[in-house]
Amino acid sequence: MPLIPEEPQIHESVPGPRATPAAGRTAPTPRPVPGPGPRPAPRRPGNPGPSRGTAGTSSAPSQRSTSDTTKPLPAAPAAPAAKAAPAAAATAAPQIQLIPAPVDGALDAADEAVDLLLDSGRVPGDILVLTTGDQHPWAAHELSFGEASYWAQLDAGDDVFYAAAEADRAKGRPVVVVAVNGGADDAVARALPDAMSGAGELLVVCGDPQRINTLIAAGV
């Protein structure tokens, strides 16, 4: 069953970071899709608060009547405590958004998604951008100074970080944006589930919807 929703639109209200579009790219890109906000949603008006107990509703347990010749019935054994429901432990899965884009426009679409996220209040350090094909220009530039300084920026966690989808050191973040800008089918099929497991709140995928859903459904 495809993991990517069919609705391709990202509304302005969606939280999202801003990134500088790659120079020289002219391919038009669609607007990104809305995702969860960066802060807890305020209490909705009219939302009922904790229920108050009603006074006088409790009553003493009724007693069994026994005859003079009949011994009282033994107390029933206490019912075993109900098992606690698995701590909403199934951590809520991240919201998944798809931004339709051709292979050569996936990076531009990812940059636009980051812009919207930042404009709506997302902290830069909340966002990780992954590419399945060529490295994002920012990543290529930073890597030219050496891997040590490049990865140190990821560890610092104070800005948007760009990395190759197959990079093992690319840790998860609240928001993960994947630009499907190339790469073999099997590599893309592996990258998407990995990105979803690393996204804490929102996963935005920019690429060809038909290819993406086909790969996921086929489990290539």
Side-chain angles (χ1 to χ4, degrees), residues 7-215:
E7 181 177 355
Q9 298 235 339
I10 287 186
H11 306 298
E12 306 267 343
S13 62
V14 183
R18 171 173 305 165
T20 304
R25 296 180 181 282
T26 56
T29 56
R31 293 189 313 162
V33 189
R39 304 181 188 77
R43 193 187 195 80
R44 295 182 181 176
N47 205 21
S51 58
R52 299 178 181 175
T54 304
T57 54
S58 60
S59 59
S62 59
Q63 300 179 342
R64 290 178 179 276
S65 61
T66 58
S67 65
D68 294 337
T69 58
T70 305
K71 295 182 180 180
L73 295 176
K83 293 182 179 180
T91 308
Q95 180 178 344
I96 303 174
Q97 303 293 342
L98 171 63
I99 302 176
V103 173
D104 59 358
L107 277 179
D108 287 332
D111 284 338
E112 184 178 347
V114 171
D115 283 341
L116 289 176
L117 288 168
L118 292 174
D119 284 342
S120 56
R122 274 288 177 186
V123 176
D126 277 358
I127 305 164
L128 172 65
V129 180
L130 302 174
T131 55
T132 62
D134 293 338
Q135 284 273 24
H136 186 283
W138 180 91
H141 174 72
E142 293 301 319
L143 280 168
S144 68
F145 297 105
E147 292 200 8
S149 61
Y150 168 72
W151 290 112
Q153 295 182 65
L154 172 64
D155 297 333
D158 55 9
D159 205 351
V160 178
F161 192 81
Y162 301 79
E166 69 271 14
D168 294 332
R169 292 187 59 180
K171 301 174 183 176
R173 284 189 172 184
V175 179
V176 176
V177 179
V178 180
V180 183
N181 62 329
D185 285 351
D186 60 341
V188 174
R190 286 194 304 272
L192 295 177
D194 288 346
M196 183 169 65
S197 65
E201 300 171 18
L202 174 65
L203 170 64
V204 179
V205 182
C206 307
D208 175 20
Q210 184 175 358
R211 181 192 182 199
I212 292 170
N213 283 317
T214 297
L215 290 177

